[in-house]
Amino acid sequence: MPDTTVAVMDNVLRFLERQHGLYIDGQWQSSQSATRLPVYNPADGKQIATSADASADDVARAVQSAHRAFSDGVWSRRLPAERERILLRYADLVEQHAEELAQLETLEQGKSINISRAFEVGCTLNWMRYAAGLSTKITGQTLDVSIPMPPGANYQVYIRKEPIGVVAGIVPWNFPLMIGIWKVMPALAAGCSIVIKPSETTPLTLLRMAELASEAGVPPGVFNVVTGSGAVCGKALTEHPLVAKVSFTGSTAVGKGIARAAADRLTRVTLELGGKNPAIVLKDADIPQVVEGLMMGSFLNQGQVCAASSRIYIEAPIYDQLVAGFEQAVKSLSVGPGMDPAAQINPLVSRAHRDKVAAYLEDARNKRAELIGGASGPAGDGFYIPPTLVVNPDDSLNLTREEVFGPVVNLIRVADGEEALQKANDTDYGLTASLWTTSLQTAMAYTPRIQAGTVWVNTHTLIDANMPFGGFKQSGSGRDFGPDWLDAYTESKSVCIRY
């Protein structure tokens, strides 16, 4: 077989060789901590770079830089059209460096270079330009009021939207570039400053994105990046008194801790948290469409997607046929490194996460669950898990209720749609769900009854910048995207004028 692995670009290699510091006040700065954090290539387990392990004092420097830039008005008081032009220029620069960013993403995160190119960079450009356009579309309201005194006085009230201040963005490791930009762009479009912390596992692409922002014309202090552990760096950032808003994407447990800390200062918080996302497949569904759609919905990025379909409820008349279809599809998947465009399943992000997913599968084996596995990864030290179907799992299995966040999918037989709805909603989570049916009447009747922030019909996982996204129940609070995206980054001020 010919070697189809993508050659690493020279400028990517040079970036990996750098002694990466912190990006504060528009320039690289050294951390006060001498500790360096390793960055590994998940495909072979080898170290490819290091990043700074920021101290609480380092974080304070970054927040103070962001607060100073906000207070000075170098960005917040700039004309909206000027902010828009700079952010559109930023998107153009990202597009010019698309292959470089895609390769960095694959090398540090493990995902397919195809996904890095199409989603992490290609789709990110859509979000960047959408958010940039919102800079010039921040609107308020004018209101009639009935203030009765003094007699004969007239009043006019209007509401203006003002940037909230310094934003802290906490980014997970599954889509570090794209989710990072989901926090950076609305903050900057609204006129805020931001300090963003990528996962210590995947810090590289956001560090490069900060450089490109400065090149585009974003003023010093407006976009800062600190790298380090969640326990020190993340905690110091989310608890800093000058932070006006926290935007966090990650686990429900960590999100709850951030919400508790924010409550003490009444800091605004947006939380996009975990999910145990169901798919309901009714007996009239188009079976080839279901297999194609839920293979992508379940195994995209090795299942390391908060919106992934991990519980598939199938009506009994088509259950066996669908299990056979999924089995054939899973066993046909090729497994290999992300830099090989032919590989359909790639390594998980880290050794620790690989071991966590493996423990779920071991628990299932010990409890005699029926598992259907695909190909194993290449021999060596890569962080691979075979794509796996769990057939009609018992409720005693840990993987039936907990978020596995890996290439593991449960296929569950149900008697009818009512049982599927009951089981789909029987969870503490409510991020996404999907319904598969060829009946428009059924789709319109079922979707209001599914408890999730996003419900797809005959598709799963795919999102858009104009489509609000967020969770019900313990899957989070607040919404990203859509025409009201900047509301979470602004305060509403009522102005009352007597005349």
Side-chain angles (χ1 to χ4, degrees), residues 115 119 175 295-305 308 461:
I115 300 300
F119 284 84
F175 286 93
M295 284 297 293
M296 181 184 67
S298 302
F299 293 108
L300 178 70
N301 196 24
Q302 295 60 253
Q304 299 169 127
V305 180
T461 302

Side-chain angles (χ1 to χ4, degrees), residues 269-466:
V269 178
T270 300
L271 302 172
E272 198 264 276
L273 307 178
K276 188 69 176 173
N277 306 301
I280 296 173
V281 184
L282 301 180
K283 60 187 177 184
D284 68 337
D286 181 320
I287 289 177
Q289 185 183 53
V290 170
V291 173
E292 178 190 43
L294 286 178
M295 284 297 293
M296 181 184 67
S298 302
F299 293 108
L300 178 70
N301 196 24
Q302 295 60 253
Q304 299 169 127
V305 180
C306 58
S309 48
S310 58
R311 300 179 288 145
I312 303 177
Y313 297 101
I314 307 168
E315 275 199 286
I318 61 170
Y319 181 79
D320 291 339
Q321 188 177 356
L322 263 179
V323 170
F326 281 120
E327 178 177 6
Q328 181 180 10
V330 162
K331 289 185 174 179
S332 72
L333 294 173
S334 59
V335 181
M339 292 295 279
D340 181 355
Q344 296 164 298
I345 293 290
N346 313 113
L348 299 188
V349 70
S350 67
R351 189 182 311 278
H353 189 59
R354 188 270 314 274
D355 293 346
K356 178 182 176 182
V357 175
Y360 280 108
L361 294 175
E362 186 62 22
D363 172 71
R365 290 189 191 95
N366 291 339
K367 294 174 180 174
R368 302 185 181 281
E370 181 182 352
L371 304 181
I372 299 173
S376 299
D381 294 325
F383 310 142
Y384 293 93
I385 288 284
T388 304
L389 305 171
V390 187
V391 181
N392 234 17
D394 186 85
D395 286 342
S396 67
L397 304 185
N398 293 334
L399 55 73
T400 60
R401 300 193 70 83
E402 298 176 18
E403 185 180 31
V404 177
F405 219 63
V408 179
V409 181
N410 301 338
L411 303 178
I412 303 143
R413 184 195 304 265
V414 292
D416 52 34
E418 288 299 317
E419 182 185 1
L421 278 169
Q422 186 275 323
K423 289 181 177 293
N425 290 333
D426 183 21
T427 175
D428 292 333
Y429 298 110
L431 187 59
T432 72
S434 62
L435 176 70
W436 299 77
T437 177
T438 55
S439 167
L440 177 60
Q441 182 177 0
T442 302
M444 298 303 291
Y446 273 52
T447 49
R449 301 175 63 192
I450 298 173
Q451 297 169 6
T454 299
V455 179
W456 291 282
V457 178
N458 296 328
T459 186
H460 198 111
T461 302
L462 300 177
I463 55 178
D464 184 81
N466 203 34

